[in-house]
Amino acid sequence: MPREPRALIVVRLSSETETSTSLERQAKECAAYCSQRGWQVVGMAEDFGSASRSTPWQRPQLSSWLGDRAPEFDIIVVWRLDRLVRKVGDLHDLIVWARDHGGKAIVSVTEPFDLTHPSGEAMASIIASFAQMESHAASERVTSMRQHLLVTPRWGGGSPPYGYRTYEKEKGRYLEVNPVTAPVVREAARRVMAGESINAICKDFENRDVPSPADSYGRRRVERDFVWHPVTLKKILSSPALCGFKTRNEPVPGKKYQRKVLVRDERGQPVRMADPIMDEEMWGKLQGALAAAAVSTSKPASPRTPFLGVIKCGGCGKNLQLHITKKKRKDGSERITSKIRCLSRIGSPACKGYVFIPVEEITGPVTRMILSAIGDKPVTKRVYIQGKETTERLAAVEASINYHVAQLLPGGIYDSEALRAKGEKALAGLRSEVEQLQALGENGQDRWEYVETGMTFAEQWQGKDPGSVTNDLVQAGITVECHPEERGGHVLRLPEDLRRRIAGAPGRPQHRVATVPPTRPSTTATTLST
């Protein structure tokens, strides 16, 4: 008998509201739809979040089915198309993906369209367009509400600025000075204006067990450790929120970080959200002291850490990074020192503070370890193979065999000396085809296969810049735990699914997604070579 079509039910919920269609209802109606059509439900992908902000390949459960588990289903069943996509571009990519992966179908329970026909694709695009318009309208409503709240004294939500706390009034949240943390801010400000360094203040706060911002906000899942980070303290002291003014984050042009800026009303005046921790005159002097104490933190255009994201600190597991210090000698010359160390702050109890010489202790040994482990292994790529679907053909051949056997009996069309040989020859051919079909086994089903490219990793990496090699290693999940020689040396970690990772797990069409997360290029001159 022909195999029942295998259905994957996809459900999604943006937010739990009174008007939203619950996951349970979506799943129930999809399951009933499959049952009516005789489809076998093989699984369900259940995700939360906006379909406008994440593609099907970015959702935790659905992405797994579209990747490794693609051979396990034939049809994607959704309650409504906007539960699957809300962008026309995403729908197009999904249709292309379905064609390239065994000609899979996409079905909506509540909307009439058939994506196996061009007119069905047009109908689906129209529905997706309306879903995209609806999502855009909802986004505009939310943005408008946030802009309205932004220019009022009411607190918009989230953790309050350090030194303040929230309280409820008139069915909203507002800010007031926190009697516990505000004195900490004022003390830090006085000490900075007196010429004390932020590093020294942080160290003193830790020695005195002053709760850090993370401790005060209750973000830690473990016991308090009172760790104060200089960068965090400087951001607190630099914020206009200390004067009671409302602030917002604004992107810094050409940078990946944001800065705090004042929120102004329609008259151009700063919006005050609470009583000030310090007056504007004191805050101005504090900013001058911070600027005078600041040292140049400019970084080169591109980092030079070799194997960034691959080399890990053996003490705490964090990334290792290249640090370069420059000091002037008495004779006016400059001494430049390079070292690779953990990103943990020096003296932190969470890390032993390992430090390495870049080339002798990291680049050279790590290169040799990786080449020794996988340099001679063949590079493979993963391809989707559509099975030969032997089930239907096998059933047809067996039916034909039964027919020919019956015709060889007395009264059948082969019941004569002249035609018996012809019938037996046809029967022998059919039995031979049955044996061939049965021998296919898994080859008759949709599956992933790994195909060698005819090149080893050492050959693929020969002459490539370190950034490209690092991309391959990060994608493969290869890491190196770095320890000093006296503590056992480096340890290479290879994931069990190395071949699958490094061959790539293609999902959506390649013109829309990168299979390797972009990483910043390296300027280290060392390259992997045989």
Side-chain angles (χ1 to χ4, degrees), residues 496-517:
E496 294 181 359
D497 57 346
L498 174 63
R499 184 177 69 165
R500 182 189 68 81
R501 286 170 174 257
I502 208 161
R508 61 190 301 179
Q510 296 301 306
H511 67 284
R512 289 284 300 239
V513 66
T515 57
V516 181

Side-chain angles (χ1 to χ4, degrees), residues 232-249:
T232 302
L233 180 57
K234 186 173 182 180
K235 286 182 179 179
I236 292 171
L237 298 178
S238 302
S239 175
L242 298 181
C243 299
F245 295 131
K246 204 168 193 178
T247 63
R248 63 180 178 85
N249 290 324

Side-chain angles (χ1 to χ4, degrees), residues 57 93 108 172-173 176 184 194 291 296 309 492 502:
W57 292 269
D93 284 348
S108 169
R173 304 296 298 180
E176 63 181 2
V184 177
S296 175
L492 180 65
I502 208 161

